[in-house]
Amino acid sequence: MNEVEKKIKLAVNGGISFGAKLNAKQLVVIAEYMNDGDELELTTFQQLYIDVIESKVDLAIEKFKEVGLSCYPVGNYVKSLRTCNFCKGAEEEGMPVAIELNKRIAGKQVPFTLRPAYTGCPVGCGEPLVNDIGVMKVRDGYDLYIGGKAKGKDARTGILTAEQLTPEQLYDVVDKIITIYTENGKKREPLAKFINRFGIENIKNAIA
Ligand code: SF4
């Protein structure tokens, strides 16, 4: 009897740009790694989930990258940054900062899946206030919210934790928050719950 080869779930998207889009070439390459009857899962976080045979994962990631797709692990990791459509322009809305932030944090191992979101102006199309980490560009600075929760009866908006940060300050503060959560969070403890237990003031003091 043939052994069924293990499959690994990958999260794939077209990277950070003007809206969450995929082109025809990218769709064709994704389809090459699917068999008849396989399905793609479309998540609410601007990612597609695809199950790839374990022995082909490295090759698939390479081929996906060749056509501009980004790949991320699925599970207790920082997800790729959900963004808005940058409707007023890449520079004005901080797209390079969003790309750099994503590069620094996406895929980091954490106690429980962590959803970061970014939005280029206070209209907030990327919904930063109802995600674990939310960044909102306001004028020339970046405001940071943490502990937002979109689901459940205890849904809530994030707590404004730092205001008018420069890009470097933003990367540093987000990194510190993820480190505090990683070192002190319990296994499978969502960030919002961790903040309740650890205390927002303790977090603010640690990042000051
Ligand atoms: S948050 Fe602002 S910049 Fe981003 S898509 Fe919405 S209106 Fe445009």
Side-chain angles (χ1 to χ4, degrees):
M1 200 172 74
N2 285 344
E3 266 191 38
V4 180
E5 214 181 326
K6 191 180 158 196
K7 288 187 170 181
I8 305 288
K9 200 180 282 297
L10 292 177
V12 178
N13 66 23
I16 293 174
S17 188
F18 296 103
K21 295 171 188 161
L22 295 174
N23 61 38
K25 206 169 176 184
Q26 291 168 337
L27 290 170
V28 168
V29 173
I30 290 172
E32 280 171 13
Y33 288 85
M34 298 175 68
N35 296 315
D36 275 356
D38 284 355
E39 291 176 329
L40 272 182
E41 184 182 343
L42 178 62
T43 75
T44 54
F45 221 70
Q46 299 175 337
Q47 292 182 332
L48 293 173
Y49 282 172
I50 178 170
D51 293 312
V52 179
I53 292 170
E54 194 172 23
S55 61
K56 290 189 176 174
V57 165
D58 290 345
L59 180 66
I61 291 174
E62 200 182 302
K63 294 288 173 194
F64 290 169
K65 283 184 179 165
E66 278 175 15
V67 291
L69 292 166
S70 298
C71 300
Y72 304 95
V74 175
N76 293 331
Y77 301 96
V78 179
K79 291 185 89 65
S80 55
L81 196 64
R82 179 180 174 177
T83 60
C84 70
N85 289 343
F86 300 100
C87 70
K88 293 169 189 166
E91 289 301 324
E92 197 185 340
E93 309 309 338
M95 194 197 289
V97 173
I99 290 171
E100 181 61 26
L101 181 63
N102 184 62
K103 203 157 74 183
R104 291 179 184 227
I105 65 173
K108 279 193 174 186
Q109 200 156 14
V110 278
F112 190 63
T113 311
L114 187 146
R115 295 173 170 79
Y118 177 96
T119 210
C121 83
V123 175
C125 302
E127 301 178 350
L129 268 66
V130 288
N131 282 286
D132 293 305
I133 289 179
V135 180
M136 180 181 278
K137 185 164 188 286
V138 181
R139 297 180 300 280
D140 294 329
Y142 298 84
D143 290 356
L144 178 66
Y145 295 80
I146 62 171
K149 192 172 180 298
K151 292 190 288 186
K153 282 186 178 174
D154 55 348
R156 69 181 198 199
T157 54
I159 302 159
L160 182 59
T161 308
E163 285 179 86
Q164 291 300 290
L165 300 172
T166 64
E168 285 305 325
Q169 288 171 330
L170 176 69
Y171 307 144
D172 183 54
V173 169
V174 171
D175 184 57
K176 281 181 179 158
I177 289 167
I178 291 174
T179 302
I180 293 168
Y181 175 44
T182 304
E183 290 176 352
N184 300 282
K186 293 179 188 167
K187 201 170 175 208
R188 297 195 54 76
E189 181 179 39
L191 183 67
K193 216 168 162 185
F194 168 72
I195 293 169
N196 287 346
R197 181 171 65 79
F198 194 82
I200 186 66
E201 288 310 320
N202 290 331
I203 293 177
K204 283 184 178 175
N205 289 338
I207 62 173

